[in-house]
Amino acid sequence: MSSHSSEKQPQSLTRRHWLAGTGLALSAAGLSGFSKTAMAQAAATAAAPKPLPPFANWKTADAMIVHSSSTIELKRSAFGSSVITPSEKLFIRNNLPTPDAAIVADRDAWVLQVEGVKKPASFSLKQLRAMGVESVTTVLQCSGNGRGFFPSKPSGTPWQVGAAGCVVWSGVPVKALIEACGGVADGMAFMTGTGGEKLPEGVDPKSLIVERSMPLKAFEDAILAWELNGSPLPLAHGGPLRLIVPGYTGVNNIKYIKRLAFTSTQTEAKIQKHGYRITAAGQESSPNDPSVWEMPVKSWITAPLADNGELSAGQTVIQGVAFGGVHAVKLVEVSADGGKSWHKARFFGPDMGKYAWRQFSVTLPLSAGAHKLVSRATDTAGNVQPEQRLENAHGYNNNSWADHAVSVTVAA
Ligand SMILES: Nc1nc2c(c(=O)[nH]1)N[C@H]1C(S)=C(S)[C@@H](COP(=O)(O)O)O[C@H]1N2
Ligand SMILES: [Mo]
């Protein structure tokens, strides 16, 4: 298991240390009755929601599930009915410690190195801003979103549906940058982005660096973004500058990007060679396994949910989100009987382009009793969201409609 996908949670280690320490001290004092109370209190502490880490303390706390200080997801009940996910509700995933806030103190001074072009050059953010501006709405989704539904419990964060959001990015198109650099150099097959995190000394940089390669064609609609939802890109989401590759899973959207290179081969970084690949369950990842790049078509219901109070019998509005990765989503069908019969949903709200998700809704009569609500999306290329997940060792790309079912009970 690579350090990138194991998503270690230092907090739980700390808690275990603390518990061990407490147990020792109490047994030494022979206070077994008190020890039980202490253990009960410790258990309650363990179950209490973790607080937001300081760099993300501006998030809407009651809308988020804090798995660790670097893995924070949106609750299924908190998606709302607006196509755009407010930045305060956008999930966070950092593979390395978040860089110091000093990097967003003077945003314009941030420097991007461009390589593998006819005229390699470095550009400050100030210079990039002068090269043009475009905006694109994309679904940003972690490759492991839905991992929590794998019965095999792959290691890594057990995300449910909330490691995803639909947001607006603004910045300069990569195409414009390439043009300014005289075009892509001959023989290049990949676009490679490098994260600007400072790496610890004495460690092989390849083992830690967040550097990802993707097929060259990915540059077509990619942008180097400095704004998120109309505000300067927060540090938590990769400010001052981030690579946005529409339709590709989260990890390919390099935060704090310091180098954009066109390369003939994929990077040798561990996160590329062994991380983020679709590996057969029980096998070690190999560079021959397919890389996690384009997102598959997917949808999920966001309301009603079992924890939103009792439903009464009758017409019920069922809603959710659907997207097609690099293709627009074309159709969503909803079933209230676990997939036996399907009803066409309608899209509502603005269409923000093919890389955005669409909100869907359908009103169905629900009788008293238990119902299993599921949704199934189809994209414009004809890909249909499958019933079963694609089993894989690390729990990537789960788009199974069965796994994303919602069970509700309607009162008699
Ligand atoms: N430089 C850098 N870029 C990164 C990461 C990272 O750790 N460092 N994490 C990646 C992963 S795995 C995901 S899912 C997304 C998360 O983006 P967000 O935190 O803005 O939601 O960023 C990606 N880009
Ligand atoms: Mo991710």
Side-chain angles (χ1 to χ4, degrees):
M1 189 78 245
S2 79
S3 59
H4 296 290
S5 38
S6 63
E7 291 161 21
K8 296 193 183 79
Q9 301 186 10
Q11 277 158 346
S12 55
L13 263 181
T14 314
R15 198 187 311 125
R16 231 181 294 139
H17 273 117
W18 180 81
L19 273 176
T22 310
L24 263 178
L26 291 171
S27 55
L31 298 169
S32 59
F34 181 68
S35 159
K36 264 183 207 144
T37 316
M39 293 313 273
Q41 275 167 358
T45 312
K50 294 190 187 92
L52 289 164
F55 78 95
N57 62 8
W58 50 276
K59 295 274 164 180
T60 307
D62 61 4
M64 311 307 290
I65 303 167
V66 180
H67 294 281
S68 77
S69 59
S70 55
T71 47
I72 302 169
E73 78 170 292
L74 180 63
K75 290 179 182 166
R76 192 169 192 158
S77 55
F79 276 81
S81 305
S82 151
V83 63
I84 301 301
T85 308
S87 305
E88 292 78 10
K89 291 184 175 182
L90 184 61
F91 80 101
I92 293 179
R93 162 69 166 119
N94 274 338
N95 299 61
L96 293 174
T98 309
D100 196 279
I103 70 167
V104 289
D106 182 3
R107 291 168 178 270
D108 279 354
W110 184 260
V111 173
L112 175 77
Q113 226 178 298
V114 185
E115 294 170 13
V117 286
K118 300 245 162 75
K119 292 181 282 177
S122 288
F123 298 91
S124 67
L125 178 42
K126 187 175 177 165
Q127 289 172 311
L128 291 176
R129 288 187 208 274
M131 289 171 61
V133 66
E134 190 48 78
S135 116
V136 62
T137 305
T138 74
V139 173
L140 180 72
Q141 179 186 224
C142 181
S143 321
N145 197 30
R147 180 187 288 129
F149 301 126
F150 275 70
S152 56
K153 301 218 180 311
S155 66
T157 305
W159 306 109
Q160 297 168 50
V161 295
C166 180
V167 294
V168 186
W169 310 97
S170 307
V172 65
V174 169
K175 258 184 173 170
L177 186 68
I178 291 174
E179 223 166 274
C181 295
V184 173
D186 295 337
M188 301 310 176
F190 297 94
M191 174 167 77
T192 299
T194 310
E197 286 106 334
K198 279 221 167 64
L199 304 175
E201 310 226 343
V203 180
D204 177 7
K206 284 197 190 82
S207 68
L208 287 178
I209 200 162
V210 178
E211 183 169 272
R212 292 279 302 167
S213 301
M214 49 219 104
L216 184 62
K217 65 173 186 203
F219 82 75
E220 292 282 348
D221 285 343
I223 73 169
L224 288 154
W226 50 75
E227 263 183 42
L228 168 63
N229 289 344
S231 294
L233 184 55
L235 178 71
H237 295 294
L241 189 69
R242 177 177 199 168
L243 176 64
I244 295 301
V245 188
Y248 282 56
T249 62
V251 70
N252 302 291
N253 294 257
I254 301 293
K255 306 201 229 185
Y256 342 102
I257 189 166
K258 67 171 186 192
R259 176 176 169 265
L260 184 71
F262 298 92
T263 52
S264 56
T265 56
Q266 298 181 38
T267 166
E268 294 287 312
K270 187 176 177 190
I271 197 170
Q272 181 84 17
K273 275 186 94 168
H274 297 281
Y276 296 90
R277 288 188 182 265
I278 303 289
T279 302
Q283 299 291 303
E284 283 294 311
S285 286
S286 117
N288 299 322
D289 297 332
S291 204
V292 174
W293 282 326
E294 295 181 359
M295 296 190 286
V297 62
K298 185 169 178 180
S299 70
W300 59 83
I301 286 165
T302 56
L305 303 176
D307 53 2
N308 283 163
E310 206 165 67
L311 286 171
S312 19
Q315 294 294 328
T316 306
V317 177
I318 299 167
Q319 66 181 79
V321 295
F323 56 100
V326 297
H327 308 289
V329 63
K330 188 175 72 183
L331 167 74
V332 174
E333 299 152 290
V334 170
S335 167
D337 54 15
K340 285 191 203 81
S341 60
W342 295 92
H343 309 266
K344 190 177 171 200
R346 72 176 186 94
F347 293 124
F348 70 94
D351 181 347
M352 302 299 287
K354 67 174 178 176
Y355 300 120
W357 63 31
R358 296 298 313 264
Q359 301 264 335
F360 67 82
S361 93
V362 64
T363 303
L364 297 178
L366 295 190
S367 54
H371 296 269
K372 200 175 225 190
L373 312 179
V374 288
S375 65
R376 179 174 70 184
T378 302
D379 69 19
T380 52
N383 300 301
V384 182
Q385 191 179 348
E387 178 172 5
Q388 300 301 333
R389 78 195 80 81
L390 172 67
E391 290 298 344
N392 65 94
H394 304 303
Y396 294 131
N397 283 357
N398 189 353
N399 66 339
S400 147
W401 58 253
D403 279 358
H404 291 77
V406 166
S407 294
V408 293
T409 305
V410 174

